[in-house]
Amino acid sequence: MGNRSTMFVGLDVHKESISVAYISGDQGSEATWLGNIGPGRGEMDRMVRKFQSKGMDLVFAYEAGPCGYQLYRYLTSKGLSCMVVAPSLIPKKAGDRVKNDRRDAVQLARLLRSGDLTPVHVPEVEDESIRDLCRAREDAMKDLKAARQRLKSFLLRHGIEYPAGAAMLSSQESWVSRVRCATPVQQIVFQEYVRAVNQHTERMAGMEAELEEQTKSWRLYPMVVALQALRGVQSTVAVTMAAEVGDLTRFENPRQLTAYLGLIPSEYSSGEKRKQGSITKTGNSHARRVLIEGAWAYRYTARMSRVIQKRQEMVSPAVRDIAWKAQVRLCKSYRKLIGRGKHRNIVVTAVARELACFMWAIAREVGPIV
């Protein structure tokens, strides 16, 4: 029986159609556009059977996008090889100004055969569900901030003074009841703004409670608990990092993790000249945001607060040692860079990059999650 040949299939996936192109593993062969098929599983099965009837091993690839990972999971569940690739890392010719579904599918098939595609990490279904919950909480937080800003803008516009704790206007019930606007219509507007703040506050609290409850039975929960030993890494930061990045031990070294998070400086060097710029901001923006938020805690002097001590009760002595080493180093780094005259946003970003490295070290101490 002869050796089975390999067929590389590029898929340009959309909501209502999938453009298909294929190319054989034989050198010198050209990519062929098969056409468009529907997004239903029946049409995909018919296409797969057509190729398999010719005695071919199939390898699929499509770009990560709004359609998610359902197609990847469907193909892999049938024992087929599939790759979800990063759109920003697909090689493109500088002079190529024509883009359509057919050309995209053909290009994916060619690059898949040549090995020039970069795959993205596809999370487990359980991990993706926690990630969706984290992002829903983030959306609720944005809606709450917007509602508070609308209320404060309304009060400022009409010369109404509000308490110092303006961020907690929803809890100032006695103050709200004393506010009197100039006209009945404006009073209605004020009450509607207050009502919106209260609704978003309740929604935010419900999301946080649900997130805390669901993570207790999550497979990455041991890593989440260990990460909270670090200063500035509360429950929300730890869960978001685990949900967005997955098991941190999948990276061979911390530099790979910081590159994935887009926290390394960009570079444009030529010859003897070396020029570095701002961070690349590639990869996962949600994880990068919470990391930078957590890094602000290191602008204060290193110390073990009661909150941190309580969070460290459930972790091993080795993890506590790493957390204290991180706190001493990062607090010192913040003061040192500020002393050099660096802008504090740049300093916090540098601290966040090192904080990610300490997170990787703690994850390695916990061990890979099966």
Side-chain angles (χ1 to χ4, degrees):
M1 186 175 181
N3 294 330
R4 294 171 62 89
S5 60
T6 302
M7 184 68 72
F8 299 92
V9 184
L11 306 174
D12 192 46
V13 181
H14 297 279
K15 176 183 177 182
E16 297 179 353
S17 66
I18 300 176
S19 185
V20 182
Y22 62 90
I23 187 171
S24 68
D26 300 331
Q27 295 298 326
S29 59
E30 292 294 331
T32 303
W33 183 59
L34 183 63
N36 292 330
I37 63 174
R41 298 294 179 255
E43 293 192 47
M44 180 63 66
D45 288 339
R46 284 194 291 271
M47 182 196 68
V48 170
R49 287 195 299 267
K50 180 179 179 181
F51 283 123
Q52 289 180 335
S53 64
K54 300 178 181 179
M56 297 178 177
D57 293 325
L58 302 178
V59 181
F60 294 87
Y62 70 94
E63 296 181 26
C67 294
Y69 307 112
Q70 297 302 318
L71 180 58
Y72 168 86
R73 294 184 179 124
Y74 179 75
L75 292 174
T76 53
S77 67
K78 291 183 169 295
L80 300 171
S81 177
C82 183
M83 177 190 299
V84 184
V85 301
S88 60
L89 299 179
I90 296 177
K92 292 181 175 63
K93 295 180 181 179
D96 191 358
R97 298 299 183 91
V98 179
K99 182 185 183 303
N100 53 49
D101 295 350
R102 176 175 179 170
R103 291 172 68 94
D104 288 347
V106 169
Q107 182 74 348
L108 282 174
R110 289 172 178 165
L111 294 174
L112 180 60
R113 185 182 69 173
S114 62
D116 292 327
L117 294 177
T118 303
V120 301
H121 171 66
V122 179
E124 301 289 339
V125 176
E126 182 187 14
D127 299 350
E128 189 177 18
S129 65
I130 299 295
R131 189 187 70 177
D132 289 339
L133 188 55
C134 286
R135 293 186 179 181
R137 178 204 164 274
E138 185 178 337
D139 293 337
M141 179 181 64
K142 293 178 180 178
D143 293 340
L144 177 58
K145 288 182 177 179
R148 285 173 174 169
Q149 184 60 41
R150 294 188 193 102
L151 177 55
K152 290 193 291 184
S153 298
F154 175 83
L155 296 174
L156 181 63
R157 192 164 61 246
H158 295 284
I160 302 174
E161 295 184 1
Y162 46 86
M168 299 299 294
L169 281 171
S170 58
S171 64
Q172 304 288 341
E173 296 181 0
S174 60
W175 175 82
V176 169
S177 63
R178 294 194 303 269
V179 172
R180 294 292 181 270
C181 297
T183 66
V185 175
Q186 290 174 339
Q187 189 70 33
I188 292 175
V189 173
F190 170 73
Q191 295 295 340
E192 287 296 329
Y193 279 147
V194 172
R195 183 166 172 263
V197 171
N198 291 334
Q199 288 177 341
H200 289 303
T201 301
E202 294 176 1
R203 177 186 169 202
M204 183 76 175
M207 287 283 187
E208 290 180 343
E210 188 67 27
L211 188 61
E212 183 178 357
E213 180 65 26
Q214 293 298 328
T215 53
K216 291 179 180 178
S217 58
W218 188 25
R219 70 182 186 92
L220 295 178
Y221 185 67
M223 187 178 73
V224 171
V225 173
L227 291 179
Q228 293 181 63
L230 291 164
R231 183 178 185 175
V233 183
Q234 297 87 356
S235 175
T236 303
V237 177
V239 173
T240 302
M241 274 293 295
E244 296 291 344
V245 182
D247 187 1
L248 302 184
T249 60
R250 66 187 179 90
F251 298 97
E252 295 182 1
N253 53 67
R255 182 170 178 79
Q256 289 184 357
L257 174 59
T258 54
Y260 174 82
L261 296 171
L263 289 171
I264 60 174
S266 58
E267 184 172 348
Y268 187 81
S269 301
S270 179
E272 298 179 356
K273 295 182 179 180
R274 185 168 185 250
K275 182 179 179 181
Q276 289 185 315
S278 59
I279 59 174
T280 59
K281 292 186 179 180
T282 57
N284 196 294
S285 60
H286 302 275
R288 184 169 61 250
R289 179 187 62 81
V290 296
L291 260 179
I292 292 177
E293 285 183 1
W296 280 101
Y298 294 94
R299 66 187 186 274
Y300 303 111
T301 305
R303 70 185 185 91
M304 291 296 294
S305 65
R306 292 182 179 179
V307 176
I308 297 177
Q309 289 177 0
K310 186 177 181 180
R311 295 206 304 256
Q312 291 185 355
E313 291 176 356
M314 300 178 62
V315 300
S316 65
V319 172
R320 289 197 292 267
D321 291 341
I322 295 174
W324 176 245
K325 180 181 178 181
Q327 187 171 171
V328 172
R329 177 182 172 85
L330 297 183
C331 292
K332 181 179 179 181
S333 297
Y334 182 90
R335 294 193 302 270
K336 183 178 180 181
L337 292 174
I338 287 292
R340 291 181 179 177
K342 298 288 186 180
H343 192 279
R344 60 179 184 174
N345 290 345
I346 296 177
V347 174
V348 169
T349 302
V351 171
R353 179 167 57 248
E354 289 196 56
L355 178 59
C357 297
F358 281 106
M359 285 185 171
W360 178 85
I362 288 178
R364 294 272 292 189
E365 189 66 34
V366 175
I369 308 297
V370 180

